[in-house]
Structure formats: C-alpha cells, structure tokens
Amino acid sequence: MDRSAPTPPGQLDYFSIIERSCSVFSLLGCVFIIATFCMSKAFHKPINRLVFYASFGNAITNVATLMARSYIGDTNSAGCQLQAFLIQMFMPADAFWTLAMAVNVYLTFYFKYDAQRLRRMEAPYLICCYGIPFVVALTFIFVSTPARGRMYGNATLWCWVSSSWDIFRIATFYGPVWIVILITFFIYIRAGREIYKKHKQLRDFSYSHHEPEPMPPMDDPFSSTKTTEVVVTSEARDKAAGFDLTAPSGSRMQRASEPAAAPKQPNPAYSVTIQSGRRGNGRGSYGDMVLPIQTNVSAETAPPAPKTGNPLRRRAAYEANNATWSYTKCAILFFTAMLVTWIPSSANRLYSLIHTNQTSVALEYMSAFVLPLQGFWNAIIYMVTSWKACKMLYNDMFRGGRHQKQETVGRSFQMMSSGRSGSKSSGKTYKTESMTELAGSRPSTNERHFDNKYRL
C-alpha cells in the first residue's frame, strides 16, 4: 500500500467501488446474524454466541470500509483519523474471535466445559478481542513525528497506518493476526485428531464383537444441549423362586403355589439407571438414580439370547459421527474464511516491504475485495451451522399464520377428548409419563413372556 509509486486515478476509483460493494454484502450478513440471534433462542449455541459478538465488530469495520478513499485527501481530518481508528481496532478482532471459538473447542474436549461454563468465558473474550485492540488503536491517534508525520494517514485503499510507519503494520496488525491463525490451526488439528481416533474406534467396534477402549464422554462443541444417559439392565429369574406381583393400586396378587401368610419382597427383574450428562461438583450436578421396574415374568423365562451388537454403543457411534461432522464442517469453513481474508492482504504487505516504493495492483484489488467481506463469510458459516434453526424461524414467520387456525382447532378437539376421558382415567393417577416410557424400553427377548393382563 505504498503511495511512492503512483497508481492511476481510474484504478483508485475502482478500489472504492469494490470496497463499498463488498461492504454492503458484509453489512447485510451482520444484520442477518444479529436479527436472527435476537429473534429465536434456537440460534443460541455457544459457537453462534461468539459469531454474534464478532458481528458487531464486523459491522463497525464495514462502516469504515464504506468510507473508502473519501478522506485520504486530508489525512489530518477527523474523518480520516476515525476511519483509521476503526480499521485498526475492529478489523483484526475477527481473527481474535475465531481463536476464541477454537479455545471453546479445546475447553470442551479436554476440560469438559458445558454451555454454562463456556458462557462465563465470554467476558474475557470480549476484553481480549475488543479491549486490547482498542488500546493500540487509540494510542496511534496521538503518535506523530516531524520526520514521519502522523501515524494514521494514506494507505491507498483507505486511511490507516501510513507507509512511513510500515513496520507497525506488521508488528500490531498482520503479525498478531497470523500468530492467532497458527494457534487456531494447532487447536483444530489436535482436537480433530482426537475426534478422528475415537470415531474410528467406535466404527471398528460396530464391525467386531470385542469391547472397545472406554471412551471419555465428549460433548458436541457446537451445541448447548445436555445429555442424559439411560442404562437398562436385566437379570434372569430363578425358576424355582416364587415372587409377588404388586399392582399399582396397592393390592397384592400371589402365585397359587405360594402360601398367603409368607409374602416375599418383590425382586425387580429390571432396573433403570438414569445418569445426568452434567459433570462436576457444582450446584447443577445431579447424582445417579436407580428405578426398579416390577414385571410379571413367567416361570419359564429364559435368559436373553446374546446379541451381536449393543444398541447403546451403536447410538454412541452415531452421535460421535454427528459431532465429528459438525466439528469438521465448522473448522473447514472458518479456516477457509480466515485464509481467504488474510492471505491476499498479507501477501500485499510483504510485497510492499520487499519491493520498496512499488505497488502490486493485483494484490491491491484482492485486498479491496476480501477484507471488507469478513461479516459476509461469518454469515455464511452461521447459516450453514444453524440451518435447522433457520428453517424453523422461516416456518414460524411465513408459514405459522397459515396453520394457526388448524392448530387451534386441533388443540380444542384434543382438550375436549381429554375432558371426556377424564373420569375414566382419574383412578389411574399412578401411571406417570416417565414410567410409561421406561416400561416401553424393556428388552424384546423377554417381552414376549410378559402377561399383558398385569403389565404396568
């Protein structure tokens, strides 16, 4: 961006046109992110929250790039100094937010951070991504020497650090950005290798009968949902042992071979262990609960036949596959956006340092095109990773009114039906929804031996 080699005036006008056109697309992307995030909680995933914060910096950067070359004629004017301040503060902040997303991935996979703990990291992220660049950008406003002049001045594309202070462009702008890119790349490579290893282990287990190495619980870094693990265990009944069947209302039915005076305690044939996915000793952690389920098992109940695969492990493999794809997709998109943004502009900076008093017109065009598009790339990534939430919001906004009347009528009929059957089901208050779901999750090998007449 050295002005010692004059650039034809016509090309300078083209620079301004490109900058403003790309800035419009980026501003629209920032508005989309901010609007959808505020309208629907379906977008409130940890990674989307960071994109939401970064969108404000992208929008302010686009305000500066929309000014283009309007204030280059008077570098001492307030407009030129303001434009340079906004670019110095907010343009590199986008790369810093990408590092914050990578740190979230690292904390999730290696320190088991949940959504609440990740939210507590947002305040430090805000200070680092916007506070530190603010100090540097504000200091540059007051830097001036008789030999070099003011630090903020003509930078060809817009007002920024002038060519006489070229070393500070590397030290305070491009250098920190590339350090951040390398750290982010290292985090993604390490986490991706770990995910691939665990995913391969689960995939190999699906084709064999051997128990895989225990896999530590891993949450999806791009989702704020909590996981509840339900484990159903079974045991074979002793054929000679008698047992009682306790009806839900409290009445007891016994086998004919058992004396009525010596009832035995019911031995549950099944137990359900429910374990919360939240870890740690914090206030939100919960213990394990074991819920016995009594069943009317026939005396001829045979032990369950061995199965070739474990459905729970197959489910874990499926979820690991989804988490792997979600991570890989976001990593590829963010790195593509970062590289597309910073490689051309960094090459332009290196060219100006190596070739003194020369300007590469091709690199200047590329820099004018990619630098204002940071908000646009973030909006594309935001849409891809939240596509289901986008479709839900679209259906609520544009298709909700069309089916509102039918939904209201359907609910009315449902309430009427519930009112009619209320007297019949009033005596069955013992049967809760959770018990119904747990009763429906019994193994199929023993299910055919149950007596339907006395089933819970």
Side-chain angles (χ1 to χ4, degrees):
M1 298 183 187
D2 199 313
R3 282 303 308 267
S4 298
T7 304
Q11 291 184 356
L12 295 177
D13 294 336
Y14 292 151
F15 291 159
S16 298
I17 294 174
I18 294 174
E19 293 166 18
R20 288 168 176 163
S21 300
C22 295
S23 298
V24 170
F25 285 102
S26 186
L27 274 176
L28 293 176
C30 294
V31 170
F32 174 80
I33 293 174
I34 296 173
T36 54
F37 189 89
C38 295
M39 291 174 62
S40 174
K41 291 185 178 180
F43 294 91
H44 291 192
K45 296 185 292 185
I47 194 170
N48 285 351
R49 294 179 64 87
L50 299 186
V51 176
F52 173 74
Y53 295 138
S55 298
F56 290 96
N58 297 144
I60 297 175
T61 299
N62 293 135
V63 172
T65 54
L66 280 173
M67 299 178 184
R69 294 176 46 83
S70 301
Y71 297 100
I72 283 184
D74 186 6
T75 57
N76 292 322
S77 64
C80 182
Q81 297 298 309
L82 175 62
Q83 182 186 31
F85 169 79
L86 296 179
I87 290 176
Q88 179 67 31
M89 176 179 174
F90 292 103
M91 188 172 286
D94 185 76
F96 300 157
W97 281 112
T98 305
L99 175 60
M101 299 173 194
V103 171
N104 273 1
V105 172
Y106 187 84
L107 294 176
T108 301
F109 284 109
Y110 294 100
F111 294 92
K112 311 307 175 188
Y113 271 45
D114 57 6
Q116 292 184 356
R117 297 180 70 184
L118 290 178
R119 284 193 180 187
R120 289 196 289 267
M121 296 295 298
E122 292 175 0
Y125 291 159
L126 285 168
I127 294 175
C128 294
C129 295
Y130 288 143
I132 297 177
F134 170 78
V135 174
V136 176
L138 184 64
T139 303
F140 285 178
I141 294 179
F142 305 101
V143 176
S144 178
T145 62
R148 297 183 179 181
R150 304 192 67 167
M151 180 170 284
Y152 287 150
N154 186 355
T156 306
L157 296 178
W158 40 59
C159 285
W160 185 48
V161 178
S162 63
S163 58
S164 58
W165 300 86
D166 207 21
I167 188 62
F168 286 91
R169 298 176 177 178
I170 303 296
T172 63
F173 194 88
Y174 288 98
V177 165
W178 276 102
I179 291 175
V180 164
I181 290 176
L182 292 178
I183 296 174
T184 305
F185 185 75
F186 172 76
I187 292 176
Y188 279 143
I189 289 297
R190 183 177 178 183
R193 184 175 57 186
E194 187 73 17
I195 293 177
Y196 176 77
K197 182 175 67 175
K198 297 301 181 182
H199 172 62
K200 185 175 182 298
Q201 181 180 351
L202 287 173
R203 185 182 58 186
D204 295 340
F205 169 72
S206 63
Y207 296 105
S208 64
H209 304 291
H210 302 286
E211 289 291 330
E213 179 186 352
M215 181 176 179
M218 298 171 62
D219 295 335
D220 188 353
F222 310 107
S223 175
S224 59
T225 58
K226 291 180 292 186
T227 304
T228 300
E229 181 182 359
V230 179
V231 180
V232 182
T233 58
S234 62
E235 62 181 7
R237 296 286 303 193
D238 187 2
K239 295 183 179 181
F243 52 88
D244 296 337
L245 293 175
T246 302
S249 60
S251 62
R252 176 172 298 176
M253 292 180 294
Q254 303 173 347
R255 290 182 56 186
S257 60
E258 292 292 334
K264 294 185 178 181
Q265 295 294 330
N267 184 16
Y270 293 89
S271 65
V272 178
T273 301
I274 301 179
Q275 181 178 2
S276 175
R278 302 180 62 176
R279 292 171 293 278
N281 298 326
R283 183 168 50 186
S285 61
Y286 302 94
D288 297 343
M289 296 185 298
V290 179
L291 302 181
I293 298 180
Q294 298 181 7
T295 57
N296 187 13
V297 184
S298 175
E300 293 79 18
T301 301
K307 296 184 179 180
T308 58
N310 192 325
L312 294 178
R313 292 194 179 273
R314 287 198 299 267
R315 178 64 180 174
Y318 175 76
E319 293 177 354
N321 185 34
N322 285 345
T324 303
W325 168 238
S326 178
Y327 160 78
T328 305
K329 180 170 57 177
C330 291
I332 291 175
L333 291 175
F334 275 115
F335 268 104
T336 302
M338 275 203 307
L339 296 179
V340 168
T341 300
W342 294 106
I343 285 180
S345 57
S346 300
N348 186 30
R349 185 60 41 238
L350 291 176
Y351 183 90
S352 65
L353 286 176
I354 297 173
H355 303 85
T356 308
N357 299 332
Q358 295 183 17
T359 300
S360 173
V361 177
L363 291 177
E364 293 285 356
Y365 273 113
M366 295 174 66
S367 299
F369 178 79
V370 298
L371 285 176
L373 284 176
Q374 291 177 340
F376 176 78
W377 302 129
N378 286 345
I380 295 296
I381 298 172
Y382 179 87
M383 291 178 60
V384 171
T385 57
S386 306
W387 186 245
K388 292 183 179 180
C390 292
K391 292 193 295 185
M392 290 173 56
L393 182 61
Y394 175 80
N395 292 333
D396 292 341
M397 292 179 60
F398 298 100
R399 297 183 179 179
R402 185 181 307 172
H403 303 287
Q404 185 176 6
K405 185 177 297 184
Q406 291 87 337
E407 184 178 356
T408 304
V409 174
R411 289 180 180 177
S412 300
F413 278 110
Q414 185 178 3
M415 293 175 63
M416 293 173 61
S417 301
S418 300
R420 292 172 183 172
S421 59
S423 58
K424 297 181 180 180
S425 60
S426 59
K428 298 181 180 181
T429 56
Y430 60 88
K431 192 171 184 180
T432 62
E433 181 180 357
S434 59
M435 291 297 293
T436 304
E437 294 178 356
L438 293 173
S441 62
R442 297 164 181 164
S444 58
T445 56
N446 293 330
E447 212 171 48
R448 60 172 62 96
H449 299 289
F450 292 167
D451 187 358
N452 295 329
K453 186 175 181 179
Y454 301 107
R455 183 181 298 175
L456 288 179

Short mmCIF file of all heavy atoms in Angstrom, two decimals, residues 169-190:
data_model
loop_
_atom_site.label_atom_id
_atom_site.label_comp_id
_atom_site.label_asym_id
_atom_site.label_seq_id
_atom_site.Cartn_x
_atom_site.Cartn_y
_atom_site.Cartn_z
N ARG A 169 2.58 -1.81 10.82
CA ARG A 169 1.53 -2.61 10.19
C ARG A 169 1.76 -4.10 10.46
O ARG A 169 0.81 -4.85 10.70
CB ARG A 169 1.50 -2.36 8.69
CG ARG A 169 1.17 -0.94 8.28
CD ARG A 169 1.25 -0.81 6.77
NE ARG A 169 0.88 0.52 6.30
CZ ARG A 169 0.90 0.91 5.02
NH1 ARG A 169 1.30 0.04 4.09
NH2 ARG A 169 0.55 2.13 4.68
N ILE A 170 3.03 -4.51 10.41
CA ILE A 170 3.36 -5.91 10.69
C ILE A 170 3.31 -6.19 12.18
O ILE A 170 2.76 -7.22 12.63
CB ILE A 170 4.75 -6.26 10.13
CG1 ILE A 170 4.80 -5.97 8.63
CG2 ILE A 170 5.10 -7.71 10.42
CD1 ILE A 170 3.86 -6.81 7.80
N ALA A 171 3.86 -5.28 12.99
CA ALA A 171 4.00 -5.55 14.43
C ALA A 171 2.67 -5.54 15.16
O ALA A 171 2.48 -6.30 16.11
CB ALA A 171 4.97 -4.54 15.05
N THR A 172 1.74 -4.68 14.76
CA THR A 172 0.49 -4.52 15.51
C THR A 172 -0.76 -4.96 14.76
O THR A 172 -1.85 -4.88 15.31
CB THR A 172 0.32 -3.04 15.92
OG1 THR A 172 0.20 -2.23 14.73
CG2 THR A 172 1.50 -2.55 16.74
N PHE A 173 -0.59 -5.44 13.56
CA PHE A 173 -1.78 -5.83 12.78
C PHE A 173 -1.60 -7.23 12.19
O PHE A 173 -2.21 -8.19 12.66
CB PHE A 173 -2.05 -4.80 11.68
CG PHE A 173 -3.40 -4.92 11.04
CD1 PHE A 173 -4.49 -4.25 11.57
CD2 PHE A 173 -3.59 -5.69 9.91
CE1 PHE A 173 -5.74 -4.35 10.98
CE2 PHE A 173 -4.84 -5.81 9.32
CZ PHE A 173 -5.91 -5.12 9.86
N TYR A 174 -0.75 -7.37 11.17
CA TYR A 174 -0.63 -8.65 10.48
C TYR A 174 0.11 -9.69 11.32
O TYR A 174 -0.22 -10.89 11.27
CB TYR A 174 0.08 -8.46 9.14
CG TYR A 174 -0.78 -7.77 8.12
CD1 TYR A 174 -0.66 -6.40 7.88
CD2 TYR A 174 -1.73 -8.48 7.39
CE1 TYR A 174 -1.46 -5.76 6.95
CE2 TYR A 174 -2.53 -7.84 6.45
CZ TYR A 174 -2.39 -6.49 6.24
OH TYR A 174 -3.18 -5.85 5.32
N GLY A 175 1.09 -9.27 12.09
CA GLY A 175 1.81 -10.22 12.93
C GLY A 175 0.92 -10.90 13.96
O GLY A 175 0.86 -12.14 14.02
N PRO A 176 0.18 -10.14 14.80
CA PRO A 176 -0.74 -10.79 15.74
C PRO A 176 -1.80 -11.65 15.06
O PRO A 176 -2.19 -12.71 15.58
CB PRO A 176 -1.37 -9.62 16.49
CG PRO A 176 -0.35 -8.53 16.40
CD PRO A 176 0.29 -8.70 15.07
N VAL A 177 -2.29 -11.20 13.89
CA VAL A 177 -3.32 -11.98 13.19
C VAL A 177 -2.78 -13.34 12.79
O VAL A 177 -3.45 -14.38 12.97
CB VAL A 177 -3.83 -11.19 11.97
CG1 VAL A 177 -4.60 -12.12 11.03
CG2 VAL A 177 -4.73 -10.05 12.41
N TRP A 178 -1.55 -13.39 12.26
CA TRP A 178 -1.02 -14.68 11.83
C TRP A 178 -0.62 -15.55 13.00
O TRP A 178 -0.68 -16.79 12.92
CB TRP A 178 0.16 -14.46 10.87
CG TRP A 178 -0.33 -14.24 9.48
CD1 TRP A 178 -0.44 -13.07 8.81
CD2 TRP A 178 -0.84 -15.25 8.61
NE1 TRP A 178 -0.96 -13.27 7.56
CE2 TRP A 178 -1.22 -14.60 7.41
CE3 TRP A 178 -1.01 -16.62 8.71
CZ2 TRP A 178 -1.76 -15.29 6.33
CZ3 TRP A 178 -1.55 -17.32 7.63
CH2 TRP A 178 -1.92 -16.65 6.46
N ILE A 179 -0.23 -14.97 14.12
CA ILE A 179 0.01 -15.77 15.32
C ILE A 179 -1.29 -16.42 15.78
O ILE A 179 -1.33 -17.60 16.15
CB ILE A 179 0.61 -14.88 16.43
CG1 ILE A 179 2.04 -14.46 16.05
CG2 ILE A 179 0.63 -15.63 17.76
CD1 ILE A 179 2.66 -13.49 17.04
N VAL A 180 -2.37 -15.65 15.75
CA VAL A 180 -3.68 -16.19 16.12
C VAL A 180 -4.11 -17.30 15.17
O VAL A 180 -4.64 -18.34 15.59
CB VAL A 180 -4.71 -15.04 16.14
CG1 VAL A 180 -6.13 -15.59 16.14
CG2 VAL A 180 -4.50 -14.16 17.37
N ILE A 181 -3.86 -17.12 13.88
CA ILE A 181 -4.24 -18.15 12.89
C ILE A 181 -3.47 -19.44 13.15
O ILE A 181 -4.05 -20.54 13.10
CB ILE A 181 -4.00 -17.63 11.47
CG1 ILE A 181 -5.00 -16.52 11.13
CG2 ILE A 181 -4.10 -18.76 10.45
CD1 ILE A 181 -4.77 -15.88 9.78
N LEU A 182 -2.19 -19.35 13.46
CA LEU A 182 -1.40 -20.55 13.72
C LEU A 182 -1.86 -21.26 14.99
O LEU A 182 -1.94 -22.50 15.02
CB LEU A 182 0.08 -20.18 13.82
CG LEU A 182 0.74 -19.70 12.52
CD1 LEU A 182 2.19 -19.31 12.78
CD2 LEU A 182 0.64 -20.76 11.43
N ILE A 183 -2.16 -20.51 16.04
CA ILE A 183 -2.66 -21.13 17.28
C ILE A 183 -4.00 -21.81 17.04
O ILE A 183 -4.25 -22.94 17.50
CB ILE A 183 -2.78 -20.08 18.39
CG1 ILE A 183 -1.40 -19.52 18.75
CG2 ILE A 183 -3.44 -20.67 19.63
CD1 ILE A 183 -1.44 -18.38 19.75
N THR A 184 -4.87 -21.14 16.31
CA THR A 184 -6.17 -21.72 15.99
C THR A 184 -6.02 -23.00 15.18
O THR A 184 -6.70 -24.01 15.42
CB THR A 184 -7.02 -20.71 15.22
OG1 THR A 184 -7.12 -19.49 15.97
CG2 THR A 184 -8.43 -21.25 14.97
N PHE A 185 -5.12 -22.96 14.21
CA PHE A 185 -4.88 -24.13 13.39
C PHE A 185 -4.36 -25.29 14.23
O PHE A 185 -4.79 -26.45 14.07
CB PHE A 185 -3.88 -23.78 12.29
CG PHE A 185 -3.64 -24.89 11.31
CD1 PHE A 185 -4.56 -25.20 10.34
CD2 PHE A 185 -2.47 -25.64 11.38
CE1 PHE A 185 -4.35 -26.23 9.44
CE2 PHE A 185 -2.24 -26.66 10.49
CZ PHE A 185 -3.17 -26.97 9.52
N PHE A 186 -3.47 -25.03 15.16
CA PHE A 186 -2.94 -26.09 16.04
C PHE A 186 -4.05 -26.69 16.90
O PHE A 186 -4.11 -27.91 17.07
CB PHE A 186 -1.83 -25.49 16.92
CG PHE A 186 -1.34 -26.44 17.98
CD1 PHE A 186 -0.49 -27.48 17.67
CD2 PHE A 186 -1.75 -26.28 19.29
CE1 PHE A 186 -0.04 -28.36 18.64
CE2 PHE A 186 -1.31 -27.15 20.27
CZ PHE A 186 -0.46 -28.19 19.95
N ILE A 187 -4.93 -25.86 17.44
CA ILE A 187 -6.02 -26.38 18.28
C ILE A 187 -6.96 -27.27 17.47
O ILE A 187 -7.34 -28.36 17.91
CB ILE A 187 -6.79 -25.20 18.91
CG1 ILE A 187 -5.91 -24.48 19.93
CG2 ILE A 187 -8.07 -25.70 19.59
CD1 ILE A 187 -6.55 -23.25 20.53
N TYR A 188 -7.31 -26.83 16.27
CA TYR A 188 -8.21 -27.62 15.45
C TYR A 188 -7.57 -28.95 15.02
O TYR A 188 -8.24 -29.98 14.97
CB TYR A 188 -8.64 -26.83 14.22
CG TYR A 188 -9.75 -25.85 14.48
CD1 TYR A 188 -9.77 -24.60 13.85
CD2 TYR A 188 -10.79 -26.14 15.35
CE1 TYR A 188 -10.78 -23.68 14.10
CE2 TYR A 188 -11.81 -25.25 15.59
CZ TYR A 188 -11.80 -24.02 14.95
OH TYR A 188 -12.81 -23.13 15.19
N ILE A 189 -6.29 -28.91 14.72
CA ILE A 189 -5.62 -30.15 14.31
C ILE A 189 -5.58 -31.14 15.47
O ILE A 189 -5.87 -32.33 15.30
CB ILE A 189 -4.20 -29.84 13.80
CG1 ILE A 189 -4.27 -29.13 12.45
CG2 ILE A 189 -3.38 -31.12 13.69
CD1 ILE A 189 -4.88 -29.96 11.34
N ARG A 190 -5.26 -30.66 16.65
CA ARG A 190 -5.17 -31.57 17.80
C ARG A 190 -6.54 -32.13 18.17
O ARG A 190 -6.68 -33.35 18.38
CB ARG A 190 -4.58 -30.83 18.99
CG ARG A 190 -4.39 -31.72 20.21
CD ARG A 190 -3.74 -31.00 21.36
NE ARG A 190 -3.63 -31.86 22.52
CZ ARG A 190 -3.16 -31.47 23.70
NH1 ARG A 190 -2.75 -30.22 23.86
NH2 ARG A 190 -3.09 -32.32 24.71
#
